């Protein structure tokens, strides 16, 4: 773990909950943009939150009536931790093989290719899928 993230004065944290609907995925992207501004990593973070929020509403109780998902962002000077919290479901998020004709199944491969690392914490009662995005130095 970066020594920067061990210093509390260097960490900036934002959290927000969203209703578990497709329309809220774009709101989650706007939330990320409002946090990161015009940093070069903003587009990557928008893509990652979009994929993770989509999975939350598609595959967990977050997408059911009155469901919700949460987004948490922690940034130090060199690393962004982006996490999406969901209502849990019967299976853990995992990489899967998608055929060329499949309409879905590539989201976590995209997250894996865009981030330094990602993972899952939790169980059927609720999960957090997190991703680490390196931050470049701004001038």
């Amino acid at each position: 773990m970066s020594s920067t993230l061990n210093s509390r004065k260097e960490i900036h944290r934002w959290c927000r909950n969203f209703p578990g609907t497709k329309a809220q995925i774009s709101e989650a992207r706007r939330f990320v943009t409002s946090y990161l501004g015009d940093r070069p990593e903003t587009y990557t973070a928008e893509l990652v939150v979009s994929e993770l929020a989509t999975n939350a509403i598609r595959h967990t109780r977050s997408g059911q009536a009155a469901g919700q998902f949460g987004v948490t962002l922690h940034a130090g000077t060199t690393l962004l931790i982006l996490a999406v919290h969901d209502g849990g479901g019967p299976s853990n998020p995992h990489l899967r093989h998608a055929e060329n004709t499949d309409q879905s199944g590539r989201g976590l491969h995209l997250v894996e290719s865009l981030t330094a690392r990602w993972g899952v914490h939790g169980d059927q009662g609720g999960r957090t899928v997190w991703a680490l995005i390196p931050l470049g130095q701004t001038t």
Side-chain angles (χ1 to χ4, degrees), residues 13-68:
R13 181 176 181 237
W14 277 20
C15 301
R16 182 171 165 201
N17 289 324
F18 300 87
T21 65
K22 288 180 184 179
Q24 293 301 302
I25 295 168
S26 60
E27 291 300 317
R29 285 194 303 266
R30 277 192 273 284
F31 174 69
V32 167
T33 301
S34 68
Y35 181 77
L36 291 174
D38 61 357
R39 295 184 67 100
E41 302 84 8
T42 300
Y43 182 68
T44 297
E46 286 177 324
L47 285 174
V48 170
V49 79
S50 183
E51 290 299 330
L52 297 182
T54 297
N55 284 350
I57 64 170
R58 202 178 267 173
H59 302 294
T60 76
R61 283 187 291 281
S62 292
Q64 295 176 0
Q68 62 179 335

Side-chain angles (χ1 to χ4, degrees), residues 86-136:
D86 65 47
S91 63
N92 271 329
H94 61 280
L95 293 173
R96 69 179 200 103
H97 176 73
E99 299 295 332
N100 289 340
T101 56
D102 289 346
Q103 295 292 317
S104 63
R106 294 173 187 81
L108 289 178
H109 286 285
L110 180 64
V111 170
E112 184 168 81
S113 70
L114 292 173
T115 64
R117 189 171 173 192
W118 71 277
V120 181
H121 177 73
D123 58 24
Q124 292 182 50
R127 289 189 185 83
T128 299
V129 182
W130 54 266
L132 305 179
I133 300 172
L135 298 173

Side-chain angles (χ1 to χ4, degrees), residues 71-95:
V71 176
T72 300
L73 302 165
H74 294 267
T77 56
T78 62
L79 187 66
L80 172 69
I81 304 168
L82 186 156
V84 173
H85 319 283
D86 65 47
S91 63
N92 271 329
H94 61 280
L95 293 173

